[in-house]
Amino acid sequence: MSLSADDPAIAPPSAEAAADPAAYWIAEAAARQAAGDPAGAHDILERALTIHEQQADIPAQAATLNALGLLWQEVGDLAAARRLLERALRLRADYTPTHPDTALILDNLAWLLQQQGEVATAQPLLEQALTIRTAAYGHTHPLTAESLNNLGYLHKSQGRLAAAQPLYEQALAIYEQARGPDDAVTAVCVHNLAGLRAAQGDLTTARRLYERALAINESAFGPDHPEVAGSLHTLAGLCLQQGDWASAQPLLQRALAIAEATHGPDHPFTTTIRTNGQVLAMIMASETPLEPD
């Protein structure tokens, strides 16, 4: 197959899409991937990259390499993903080092490095992304909050809870102001802060935050959505930490019903909830006092 901008397999079908062909082809590849066709997604991106290279379009090359890196990361080839993301970062950073697209690639590469256990290498990338976004968007923009959250996660994963707390709290405050207190993205920040407070031993505050995240997700997605199942399961786990078996049991039962309906009975998440529920039932049975004869 010849490679040219007129290739009907990848050429944008409209003038609107033609204004940003890189974004169009990345979206087409994402649709293929979501449909279970990663090979088709890879083919689209590789052919698009060739065209961008022929046209010497540096931003489009970097964006496409970033998308390819994320694709390889999702299918589990972290080494290939890292090479592509590092190449994307070199191109984009040399072209416009303080552009927000550079921050996006920095974030993606940092997450991959954390998956590979290279936290020390990832941290300055996240810090640089935060600096870029703060300069580009200001201190109260949701993308600045995203960088704060990402850096907070890194600190929490390394046990640096005191360093993570203000970052999570700043991110939450920004999302509450920008997206509203009941937005689904706000719920993610609430959930993250709850996990941090639980790790700090403040189970009472953690429980209140998990309950808030659950309420937001129920409102945003409906009572039977997989996100709600995840919130129920997490809240149940916190109740178990508190020794509150009676509260944990209905949460696990409801989470299991949702997971079975949405993921199927044999999905790993469903199995995990079922196992936790069975263990809890055994604990509760062993602690039930015997009835007198």
Side-chain angles (χ1 to χ4, degrees), residues 5-37:
D6 296 324
D7 187 335
I10 59 174
S14 67
E16 181 182 359
D20 191 351
Y24 171 79
W25 292 326
I26 289 169
E28 286 292 295
R32 290 282 189 94
Q33 188 173 357
D37 183 16

PDB file of all heavy atoms in Angstrom, residues 5-37:
ATOM      1  N   ALA A   5      -0.654  11.447   1.632  1.00  0.00           N
ATOM      2  CA  ALA A   5      -1.716  12.165   2.332  1.00  0.00           C
ATOM      3  C   ALA A   5      -3.071  11.888   1.727  1.00  0.00           C
ATOM      4  O   ALA A   5      -4.092  12.185   2.329  1.00  0.00           O
ATOM      5  CB  ALA A   5      -1.425  13.666   2.302  1.00  0.00           C
ATOM      6  N   ASP A   6      -3.101  11.336   0.502  1.00  0.00           N
ATOM      7  CA  ASP A   6      -4.375  11.053  -0.153  1.00  0.00           C
ATOM      8  C   ASP A   6      -4.827   9.619   0.062  1.00  0.00           C
ATOM      9  O   ASP A   6      -5.811   9.193  -0.534  1.00  0.00           O
ATOM     10  CB  ASP A   6      -4.262  11.321  -1.658  1.00  0.00           C
ATOM     11  CG  ASP A   6      -3.996  12.782  -1.962  1.00  0.00           C
ATOM     12  OD1 ASP A   6      -4.538  13.635  -1.242  1.00  0.00           O
ATOM     13  OD2 ASP A   6      -3.238  13.043  -2.908  1.00  0.00           O
ATOM     14  N   ASP A   7      -4.131   8.863   0.894  1.00  0.00           N
ATOM     15  CA  ASP A   7      -4.494   7.477   1.165  1.00  0.00           C
ATOM     16  C   ASP A   7      -5.918   7.444   1.714  1.00  0.00           C
ATOM     17  O   ASP A   7      -6.190   7.995   2.780  1.00  0.00           O
ATOM     18  CB  ASP A   7      -3.529   6.882   2.197  1.00  0.00           C
ATOM     19  CG  ASP A   7      -3.747   5.392   2.400  1.00  0.00           C
ATOM     20  OD1 ASP A   7      -4.875   4.925   2.155  1.00  0.00           O
ATOM     21  OD2 ASP A   7      -2.787   4.720   2.800  1.00  0.00           O
ATOM     22  N   PRO A   8      -6.886   6.823   1.003  1.00  0.00           N
ATOM     23  CA  PRO A   8      -8.272   6.869   1.455  1.00  0.00           C
ATOM     24  C   PRO A   8      -8.484   6.136   2.768  1.00  0.00           C
ATOM     25  O   PRO A   8      -9.475   6.370   3.444  1.00  0.00           O
ATOM     26  CB  PRO A   8      -9.041   6.193   0.319  1.00  0.00           C
ATOM     27  CG  PRO A   8      -8.032   5.326  -0.356  1.00  0.00           C
ATOM     28  CD  PRO A   8      -6.740   6.075  -0.252  1.00  0.00           C
ATOM     29  N   ALA A   9      -7.530   5.260   3.172  1.00  0.00           N
ATOM     30  CA  ALA A   9      -7.720   4.528   4.413  1.00  0.00           C
ATOM     31  C   ALA A   9      -7.538   5.411   5.624  1.00  0.00           C
ATOM     32  O   ALA A   9      -8.038   5.120   6.695  1.00  0.00           O
ATOM     33  CB  ALA A   9      -6.745   3.353   4.476  1.00  0.00           C
ATOM     34  N   ILE A  10      -6.798   6.518   5.457  1.00  0.00           N
ATOM     35  CA  ILE A  10      -6.534   7.350   6.623  1.00  0.00           C
ATOM     36  C   ILE A  10      -6.775   8.834   6.370  1.00  0.00           C
ATOM     37  O   ILE A  10      -6.673   9.624   7.281  1.00  0.00           O
ATOM     38  CB  ILE A  10      -5.088   7.162   7.126  1.00  0.00           C
ATOM     39  CG1 ILE A  10      -4.066   7.515   6.024  1.00  0.00           C
ATOM     40  CG2 ILE A  10      -4.852   5.755   7.596  1.00  0.00           C
ATOM     41  CD1 ILE A  10      -2.636   7.488   6.514  1.00  0.00           C
ATOM     42  N   ALA A  11      -7.080   9.218   5.161  1.00  0.00           N
ATOM     43  CA  ALA A  11      -7.271  10.638   4.877  1.00  0.00           C
ATOM     44  C   ALA A  11      -8.510  11.156   5.597  1.00  0.00           C
ATOM     45  O   ALA A  11      -9.556  10.510   5.574  1.00  0.00           O
ATOM     46  CB  ALA A  11      -7.430  10.854   3.378  1.00  0.00           C
ATOM     47  N   PRO A  12      -8.437  12.322   6.239  1.00  0.00           N
ATOM     48  CA  PRO A  12      -9.611  12.872   6.912  1.00  0.00           C
ATOM     49  C   PRO A  12     -10.740  13.111   5.926  1.00  0.00           C
ATOM     50  O   PRO A  12     -10.520  13.626   4.835  1.00  0.00           O
ATOM     51  CB  PRO A  12      -9.090  14.188   7.497  1.00  0.00           C
ATOM     52  CG  PRO A  12      -7.615  14.002   7.607  1.00  0.00           C
ATOM     53  CD  PRO A  12      -7.241  13.135   6.442  1.00  0.00           C
ATOM     54  N   PRO A  13     -11.973  12.766   6.288  1.00  0.00           N
ATOM     55  CA  PRO A  13     -13.079  12.876   5.347  1.00  0.00           C
ATOM     56  C   PRO A  13     -13.709  14.257   5.301  1.00  0.00           C
ATOM     57  O   PRO A  13     -14.652  14.461   4.564  1.00  0.00           O
ATOM     58  CB  PRO A  13     -14.081  11.855   5.896  1.00  0.00           C
ATOM     59  CG  PRO A  13     -13.855  11.881   7.374  1.00  0.00           C
ATOM     60  CD  PRO A  13     -12.377  12.109   7.532  1.00  0.00           C
ATOM     61  N   SER A  14     -13.269  15.203   6.089  1.00  0.00           N
ATOM     62  CA  SER A  14     -13.927  16.495   6.116  1.00  0.00           C
ATOM     63  C   SER A  14     -12.891  17.592   6.270  1.00  0.00           C
ATOM     64  O   SER A  14     -11.776  17.365   6.736  1.00  0.00           O
ATOM     65  CB  SER A  14     -14.925  16.559   7.278  1.00  0.00           C
ATOM     66  OG  SER A  14     -14.233  16.531   8.511  1.00  0.00           O
ATOM     67  N   ALA A  15     -13.292  18.798   5.898  1.00  0.00           N
ATOM     68  CA  ALA A  15     -12.393  19.942   6.048  1.00  0.00           C
ATOM     69  C   ALA A  15     -12.076  20.193   7.519  1.00  0.00           C
ATOM     70  O   ALA A  15     -10.959  20.563   7.879  1.00  0.00           O
ATOM     71  CB  ALA A  15     -13.031  21.185   5.428  1.00  0.00           C
ATOM     72  N   GLU A  16     -13.066  19.966   8.397  1.00  0.00           N
ATOM     73  CA  GLU A  16     -12.849  20.162   9.832  1.00  0.00           C
ATOM     74  C   GLU A  16     -11.775  19.221  10.350  1.00  0.00           C
ATOM     75  O   GLU A  16     -10.871  19.624  11.089  1.00  0.00           O
ATOM     76  CB  GLU A  16     -14.162  19.938  10.578  1.00  0.00           C
ATOM     77  CG  GLU A  16     -14.040  20.150  12.079  1.00  0.00           C
ATOM     78  CD  GLU A  16     -15.337  19.888  12.806  1.00  0.00           C
ATOM     79  OE1 GLU A  16     -16.337  19.557  12.131  1.00  0.00           O
ATOM     80  OE2 GLU A  16     -15.357  20.015  14.034  1.00  0.00           O
ATOM     81  N   ALA A  17     -11.854  17.937   9.961  1.00  0.00           N
ATOM     82  CA  ALA A  17     -10.854  16.971  10.406  1.00  0.00           C
ATOM     83  C   ALA A  17      -9.502  17.265   9.771  1.00  0.00           C
ATOM     84  O   ALA A  17      -8.458  17.063  10.388  1.00  0.00           O
ATOM     85  CB  ALA A  17     -11.304  15.556  10.065  1.00  0.00           C
ATOM     86  N   ALA A  18      -9.523  17.764   8.524  1.00  0.00           N
ATOM     87  CA  ALA A  18      -8.263  18.047   7.834  1.00  0.00           C
ATOM     88  C   ALA A  18      -7.476  19.154   8.521  1.00  0.00           C
ATOM     89  O   ALA A  18      -6.260  19.246   8.363  1.00  0.00           O
ATOM     90  CB  ALA A  18      -8.541  18.431   6.383  1.00  0.00           C
ATOM     91  N   ALA A  19      -8.158  19.993   9.300  1.00  0.00           N
ATOM     92  CA  ALA A  19      -7.466  21.058  10.000  1.00  0.00           C
ATOM     93  C   ALA A  19      -6.503  20.517  11.047  1.00  0.00           C
ATOM     94  O   ALA A  19      -5.525  21.166  11.398  1.00  0.00           O
ATOM     95  CB  ALA A  19      -8.474  21.990  10.661  1.00  0.00           C
ATOM     96  N   ASP A  20      -6.774  19.322  11.563  1.00  0.00           N
ATOM     97  CA  ASP A  20      -5.892  18.691  12.552  1.00  0.00           C
ATOM     98  C   ASP A  20      -5.872  17.192  12.275  1.00  0.00           C
ATOM     99  O   ASP A  20      -6.475  16.399  13.004  1.00  0.00           O
ATOM    100  CB  ASP A  20      -6.376  18.975  13.972  1.00  0.00           C
ATOM    101  CG  ASP A  20      -5.341  18.560  15.026  1.00  0.00           C
ATOM    102  OD1 ASP A  20      -4.344  17.915  14.649  1.00  0.00           O
ATOM    103  OD2 ASP A  20      -5.545  18.878  16.208  1.00  0.00           O
ATOM    104  N   PRO A  21      -5.174  16.775  11.206  1.00  0.00           N
ATOM    105  CA  PRO A  21      -5.199  15.353  10.837  1.00  0.00           C
ATOM    106  C   PRO A  21      -4.601  14.451  11.901  1.00  0.00           C
ATOM    107  O   PRO A  21      -5.045  13.311  12.068  1.00  0.00           O
ATOM    108  CB  PRO A  21      -4.383  15.306   9.541  1.00  0.00           C
ATOM    109  CG  PRO A  21      -3.575  16.560   9.534  1.00  0.00           C
ATOM    110  CD  PRO A  21      -4.400  17.575  10.254  1.00  0.00           C
ATOM    111  N   ALA A  22      -3.598  14.944  12.640  1.00  0.00           N
ATOM    112  CA  ALA A  22      -3.011  14.099  13.688  1.00  0.00           C
ATOM    113  C   ALA A  22      -4.065  13.726  14.719  1.00  0.00           C
ATOM    114  O   ALA A  22      -4.199  12.553  15.105  1.00  0.00           O
ATOM    115  CB  ALA A  22      -1.841  14.813  14.345  1.00  0.00           C
ATOM    116  N   ALA A  23      -4.842  14.712  15.182  1.00  0.00           N
ATOM    117  CA  ALA A  23      -5.890  14.441  16.164  1.00  0.00           C
ATOM    118  C   ALA A  23      -6.941  13.501  15.587  1.00  0.00           C
ATOM    119  O   ALA A  23      -7.448  12.612  16.286  1.00  0.00           O
ATOM    120  CB  ALA A  23      -6.532  15.750  16.619  1.00  0.00           C
ATOM    121  N   TYR A  24      -7.254  13.691  14.303  1.00  0.00           N
ATOM    122  CA  TYR A  24      -8.259  12.837  13.677  1.00  0.00           C
ATOM    123  C   TYR A  24      -7.799  11.385  13.638  1.00  0.00           C
ATOM    124  O   TYR A  24      -8.530  10.472  14.028  1.00  0.00           O
ATOM    125  CB  TYR A  24      -8.560  13.330  12.252  1.00  0.00           C
ATOM    126  CG  TYR A  24      -9.428  12.367  11.478  1.00  0.00           C
ATOM    127  CD1 TYR A  24     -10.794  12.319  11.690  1.00  0.00           C
ATOM    128  CD2 TYR A  24      -8.862  11.487  10.548  1.00  0.00           C
ATOM    129  CE1 TYR A  24     -11.592  11.427  11.000  1.00  0.00           C
ATOM    130  CE2 TYR A  24      -9.656  10.601   9.852  1.00  0.00           C
ATOM    131  CZ  TYR A  24     -11.018  10.561  10.076  1.00  0.00           C
ATOM    132  OH  TYR A  24     -11.795   9.672   9.404  1.00  0.00           O
ATOM    133  N   TRP A  25      -6.573  11.151  13.175  1.00  0.00           N
ATOM    134  CA  TRP A  25      -6.092   9.781  13.065  1.00  0.00           C
ATOM    135  C   TRP A  25      -5.884   9.139  14.425  1.00  0.00           C
ATOM    136  O   TRP A  25      -6.111   7.939  14.598  1.00  0.00           O
ATOM    137  CB  TRP A  25      -4.801   9.744  12.236  1.00  0.00           C
ATOM    138  CG  TRP A  25      -5.039  10.081  10.792  1.00  0.00           C
ATOM    139  CD1 TRP A  25      -6.141   9.791  10.048  1.00  0.00           C
ATOM    140  CD2 TRP A  25      -4.162  10.801   9.923  1.00  0.00           C
ATOM    141  NE1 TRP A  25      -6.017  10.278   8.767  1.00  0.00           N
ATOM    142  CE2 TRP A  25      -4.802  10.907   8.657  1.00  0.00           C
ATOM    143  CE3 TRP A  25      -2.901  11.376  10.083  1.00  0.00           C
ATOM    144  CZ2 TRP A  25      -4.221  11.541   7.567  1.00  0.00           C
ATOM    145  CZ3 TRP A  25      -2.322  12.014   8.997  1.00  0.00           C
ATOM    146  CH2 TRP A  25      -2.975  12.100   7.761  1.00  0.00           C
ATOM    147  N   ILE A  26      -5.471   9.943  15.410  1.00  0.00           N
ATOM    148  CA  ILE A  26      -5.337   9.403  16.765  1.00  0.00           C
ATOM    149  C   ILE A  26      -6.709   8.982  17.296  1.00  0.00           C
ATOM    150  O   ILE A  26      -6.851   7.927  17.924  1.00  0.00           O
ATOM    151  CB  ILE A  26      -4.671  10.448  17.687  1.00  0.00           C
ATOM    152  CG1 ILE A  26      -3.185  10.583  17.316  1.00  0.00           C
ATOM    153  CG2 ILE A  26      -4.820  10.055  19.146  1.00  0.00           C
ATOM    154  CD1 ILE A  26      -2.491  11.763  17.982  1.00  0.00           C
ATOM    155  N   ALA A  27      -7.727   9.792  17.016  1.00  0.00           N
ATOM    156  CA  ALA A  27      -9.084   9.435  17.446  1.00  0.00           C
ATOM    157  C   ALA A  27      -9.569   8.175  16.729  1.00  0.00           C
ATOM    158  O   ALA A  27     -10.221   7.311  17.338  1.00  0.00           O
ATOM    159  CB  ALA A  27     -10.036  10.595  17.187  1.00  0.00           C
ATOM    160  N   GLU A  28      -9.258   8.065  15.422  1.00  0.00           N
ATOM    161  CA  GLU A  28      -9.643   6.863  14.681  1.00  0.00           C
ATOM    162  C   GLU A  28      -8.946   5.627  15.257  1.00  0.00           C
ATOM    163  O   GLU A  28      -9.550   4.569  15.399  1.00  0.00           O
ATOM    164  CB  GLU A  28      -9.276   7.030  13.203  1.00  0.00           C
ATOM    165  CG  GLU A  28     -10.183   7.968  12.441  1.00  0.00           C
ATOM    166  CD  GLU A  28     -11.576   7.399  12.290  1.00  0.00           C
ATOM    167  OE1 GLU A  28     -11.732   6.365  11.605  1.00  0.00           O
ATOM    168  OE2 GLU A  28     -12.508   7.973  12.871  1.00  0.00           O
ATOM    169  N   ALA A  29      -7.680   5.774  15.593  1.00  0.00           N
ATOM    170  CA  ALA A  29      -6.938   4.656  16.179  1.00  0.00           C
ATOM    171  C   ALA A  29      -7.518   4.286  17.535  1.00  0.00           C
ATOM    172  O   ALA A  29      -7.645   3.091  17.863  1.00  0.00           O
ATOM    173  CB  ALA A  29      -5.461   5.015  16.317  1.00  0.00           C
ATOM    174  N   ALA A  30      -7.877   5.286  18.337  1.00  0.00           N
ATOM    175  CA  ALA A  30      -8.471   5.010  19.644  1.00  0.00           C
ATOM    176  C   ALA A  30      -9.790   4.259  19.497  1.00  0.00           C
ATOM    177  O   ALA A  30     -10.094   3.352  20.287  1.00  0.00           O
ATOM    178  CB  ALA A  30      -8.681   6.314  20.404  1.00  0.00           C
ATOM    179  N   ALA A  31     -10.569   4.607  18.466  1.00  0.00           N
ATOM    180  CA  ALA A  31     -11.833   3.905  18.229  1.00  0.00           C
ATOM    181  C   ALA A  31     -11.578   2.448  17.850  1.00  0.00           C
ATOM    182  O   ALA A  31     -12.288   1.541  18.311  1.00  0.00           O
ATOM    183  CB  ALA A  31     -12.626   4.620  17.134  1.00  0.00           C
ATOM    184  N   ARG A  32     -10.558   2.222  17.022  1.00  0.00           N
ATOM    185  CA  ARG A  32     -10.207   0.842  16.669  1.00  0.00           C
ATOM    186  C   ARG A  32      -9.785   0.055  17.911  1.00  0.00           C
ATOM    187  O   ARG A  32     -10.170  -1.102  18.092  1.00  0.00           O
ATOM    188  CB  ARG A  32      -9.064   0.835  15.657  1.00  0.00           C
ATOM    189  CG  ARG A  32      -9.415   1.327  14.267  1.00  0.00           C
ATOM    190  CD  ARG A  32     -10.152   0.274  13.450  1.00  0.00           C
ATOM    191  NE  ARG A  32     -10.285   0.713  12.071  1.00  0.00           N
ATOM    192  CZ  ARG A  32      -9.438   0.398  11.094  1.00  0.00           C
ATOM    193  NH1 ARG A  32      -8.395  -0.360  11.359  1.00  0.00           N
ATOM    194  NH2 ARG A  32      -9.633   0.840   9.862  1.00  0.00           N
ATOM    195  N   GLN A  33      -8.972   0.684  18.735  1.00  0.00           N
ATOM    196  CA  GLN A  33      -8.489   0.013  19.930  1.00  0.00           C
ATOM    197  C   GLN A  33      -9.643  -0.308  20.879  1.00  0.00           C
ATOM    198  O   GLN A  33      -9.712  -1.397  21.450  1.00  0.00           O
ATOM    199  CB  GLN A  33      -7.448   0.875  20.636  1.00  0.00           C
ATOM    200  CG  GLN A  33      -6.746   0.180  21.789  1.00  0.00           C
ATOM    201  CD  GLN A  33      -5.619   1.021  22.346  1.00  0.00           C
ATOM    202  OE1 GLN A  33      -5.332   2.100  21.835  1.00  0.00           O
ATOM    203  NE2 GLN A  33      -4.973   0.530  23.383  1.00  0.00           N
ATOM    204  N   ALA A  34     -10.554   0.652  21.050  1.00  0.00           N
ATOM    205  CA  ALA A  34     -11.707   0.436  21.921  1.00  0.00           C
ATOM    206  C   ALA A  34     -12.595  -0.683  21.402  1.00  0.00           C
ATOM    207  O   ALA A  34     -13.265  -1.370  22.184  1.00  0.00           O
ATOM    208  CB  ALA A  34     -12.509   1.727  22.055  1.00  0.00           C
ATOM    209  N   ALA A  35     -12.581  -0.879  20.081  1.00  0.00           N
ATOM    210  CA  ALA A  35     -13.375  -1.948  19.471  1.00  0.00           C
ATOM    211  C   ALA A  35     -12.661  -3.289  19.512  1.00  0.00           C
ATOM    212  O   ALA A  35     -13.148  -4.265  18.942  1.00  0.00           O
ATOM    213  CB  ALA A  35     -13.711  -1.576  18.028  1.00  0.00           C
ATOM    214  N   GLY A  36     -11.492  -3.340  20.170  1.00  0.00           N
ATOM    215  CA  GLY A  36     -10.765  -4.597  20.291  1.00  0.00           C
ATOM    216  C   GLY A  36      -9.854  -4.894  19.136  1.00  0.00           C
ATOM    217  O   GLY A  36      -9.518  -6.066  18.887  1.00  0.00           O
ATOM    218  N   ASP A  37      -9.419  -3.861  18.420  1.00  0.00           N
ATOM    219  CA  ASP A  37      -8.547  -4.056  17.257  1.00  0.00           C
ATOM    220  C   ASP A  37      -7.260  -3.247  17.435  1.00  0.00           C
ATOM    221  O   ASP A  37      -7.037  -2.266  16.723  1.00  0.00           O
ATOM    222  CB  ASP A  37      -9.287  -3.629  15.988  1.00  0.00           C
ATOM    223  CG  ASP A  37      -8.478  -3.865  14.713  1.00  0.00           C
ATOM    224  OD1 ASP A  37      -7.483  -4.625  14.776  1.00  0.00           O
ATOM    225  OD2 ASP A  37      -8.838  -3.283  13.669  1.00  0.00           O
TER     226      ASP A  37
END
